[in-house]
Each structure stands twice: as structure tokens, then as C-alpha cells.
Amino acid sequence: MSLLEVKELTKNFGGLAAVSNVDFVIEENELIGLIGPNGAGKTTFFNLLTGVYVPTEGTIELEKDGEKILLNGKAPYKITDLGLARTFQNIRLFKELTVMDNVLIAMHSKKGSNTFHSLFRTPTYYRAEEEMRTKALELLAIFELENKYDVLAKNLPYGEQRRLEIVRALATKPKILFLDEPAAGMNPQETAELTALIRKIQKDFKITVVLIEHDMSLVMNVCERIYVLEYGRLLAHGTPEEIQKNPAVIKAYLGGD
């Protein structure tokens, strides 16, 4: 049984079909790429899967505990609770908060809180808070951000803000992590480091990673399967080798005649 199965997904804005009749399957512990020209519908597709938009047609089904859960129409926070997390093309951090607080907010959203303990600041509350801070530091250490825990997010260099956004997403303990152009704005050294980091995330956290990316060296180096969108429609799907040799993909996106 697939972890996430998308069938005939469509999103219309007025008379424009931003995503049209797309089928997409995600298995456990995969690294999947989603590529295509600007305006192909990639971010809209992510927005549909994570509850930002409601599909016009089609279904999105998540396998959980042997049952299929329909995600259509569920609020983003409910989809996050079910194990789908994401980053954004334009970084969306709480920039006036510290690195630590950005991660703790994500952890609280997953854990929830007991009103009594929170209101009266009982020993149980303080123990839980300390445990979360310890786990947050451990997570930050994986991304070499533990020494920046008290820095305001807005004061981090661009590449570290990207890493913090990934940390915050992982703090929700997702089954699937969607990365929207994680290498955007990065220099070649930062992109190489990100490539290694994405592999490490998928391996160490044992989760599925789906990424939108224009850097083809990154996509071809880390992805096991690749989907290609053009004008909102699925143009091709296959291994990196198959995609690189696909005449339609070469013509539409990879620079062929």
C-alpha cells in the first residue's frame, strides 16, 4: 500500500487549470523530485497536498495504520498532525523569535499541551519544557545550528535560515517532508552541502522526502524517482536516467530543441 496516493488531482483558478488531472504516488522512505518550468504548477501541487488549497477535483489519500485517510479539505495543521510537513519557496520563519523558539513552536504544535500544567506552571510543565529543549538542541546539532540557539532567526545567514526551516519541519516528526526549492539562492558550496544534508535526512529520519528544485545536479544526484510537470499536467515520470533521456522532457525543460 502506498504512503500517499494522488489521483486525477485538479486545481482551477477561475478558468485556469493550475494543476490538471495529475496522478502521483509516494512510497515510504523515498527521495522524489518534482521538476518543471516556471509556472508548471509545482508549488500549487505542494499547496494542494499540504492543505493550503482545496482541490477542485481528484483525491489525496494518506495511508495511516492500515487505513486510507482522505486529505481533501483538511486544514493545514490537521495535515501536519497526520505527518506531512513542508518548507516554502520563500522562507517562512518566525524571524523575530530565536532559533530555539522557532523549533519549540513546531514541537508544541505536535505535542499539544495540558491546560492545567501550562496555566499553573507545575513541575510536570517544566520537565516537559526541558525535555523539548533538549530534543530541540539535539535536532539543531544535526544541522550545525546548536550554537545559534539564542540568535534571532532574522539574523541568520540565508543558508542557515534554510536549514532552520528544515529543522522546524522535522520537529513535527513528519512521515513525508516536502521541500520547495531548498537550494534557491544558494551558492555551489551551499548547494553541495544541502545535497548531502537531504540524503542524511532521508536516511537518518527514515522519512520520505519530496522536493521541488531547479538545480538539476541536486535533483539527479539525490532523487530515486522524478515527476515532471508542464502547464499543470504530468509530462513524465521515471528514474533520473529515464527523465534525462526523455525527448519530451528534454524539449520542454532540459534545454533540447
Side-chain angles (χ1 to χ4, degrees), residues 3-257:
L3 182 58
L4 189 77
E5 188 169 1
V6 175
K7 294 181 180 178
E8 300 179 351
L9 196 64
T10 297
K11 179 60 180 177
N12 296 329
F13 294 100
L16 174 67
V19 172
S20 181
N21 201 39
V22 172
D23 292 338
F24 198 101
V25 176
I26 297 174
E27 306 289 350
E28 290 188 353
N29 301 328
E30 280 195 299
L31 250 167
I32 300 173
L34 179 62
I35 66 172
N38 287 328
K42 303 182 298 295
T43 295
T44 299
F45 186 73
F46 268 23
N47 287 339
L48 290 166
L49 299 189
T50 55
V52 177
Y53 296 149
V54 176
T56 304
E57 297 178 15
T59 58
I60 307 165
E61 290 185 323
L62 175 71
E63 189 280 325
K64 185 176 175 65
D65 300 327
E67 297 183 2
K68 287 190 175 183
I69 300 173
L70 186 68
L71 300 187
N72 296 46
K74 289 190 180 297
Y77 76 91
K78 291 185 177 180
I79 290 177
T80 299
D81 286 343
L82 287 168
L84 279 66
R86 69 171 296 179
T87 65
F88 292 85
Q89 186 174 345
N90 299 313
I91 298 172
R92 297 188 186 180
L93 296 170
F94 300 109
K95 294 193 174 183
E96 299 296 330
L97 298 181
T98 65
V99 167
M100 174 64 76
D101 285 340
N102 268 270
V103 180
L104 289 177
I105 286 172
M107 288 183 166
H108 274 290
S109 71
K110 185 68 175 179
K111 181 178 180 294
S113 61
N114 182 289
T115 302
F116 174 83
H117 293 301
S118 298
L119 184 62
F120 293 100
R121 295 295 193 268
T122 65
T124 298
Y125 166 83
Y126 285 110
R127 281 196 301 271
E129 287 293 306
E130 189 58 35
E131 287 174 5
M132 279 196 288
R133 289 183 69 86
T134 299
K135 290 177 182 177
L137 278 174
E138 291 172 353
L139 197 54
L140 288 167
I142 296 172
F143 293 81
E144 299 180 352
L145 290 170
E146 73 276 20
N147 294 327
K148 302 286 185 75
Y149 74 93
D150 58 349
V151 175
L152 293 181
K154 68 179 182 180
N155 293 332
L156 292 176
Y158 181 84
E160 291 184 352
Q161 289 190 29
R162 281 282 179 197
R163 297 211 303 272
L164 176 57
E165 194 177 31
I166 295 173
V167 172
R168 190 177 63 180
L170 289 171
T172 66
K173 298 182 179 180
K175 292 182 177 180
I176 305 173
L177 175 62
F178 296 95
L179 303 177
D180 194 347
E181 295 196 31
M186 290 188 174
N187 61 42
Q189 176 62 31
E190 289 172 328
T191 300
E193 292 171 356
L194 178 66
T195 301
L197 185 60
I198 291 172
R199 286 200 188 99
K200 181 178 176 61
I201 290 169
Q202 191 266 340
K203 179 181 177 182
D204 291 357
F205 289 86
K206 295 180 174 60
I207 62 174
T208 293
V209 178
V210 185
L211 67 132
I212 293 172
E213 188 51 65
H214 286 290
D215 188 312
M216 286 301 98
S217 63
L218 191 160
V219 172
M220 297 301 171
N221 280 330
V222 303
C223 293
E224 299 159 335
R225 294 192 294 122
I226 298 172
Y227 286 83
V228 187
L229 291 182
E230 184 188 29
Y231 300 118
R233 294 184 175 274
L234 185 62
L235 179 65
H237 162 238
T239 65
E241 295 76 16
E242 290 168 341
I243 293 300
Q244 286 176 308
K245 296 175 182 178
N246 187 301
V249 177
I250 293 170
K251 182 177 181 179
Y253 187 56
L254 298 181
D257 296 327

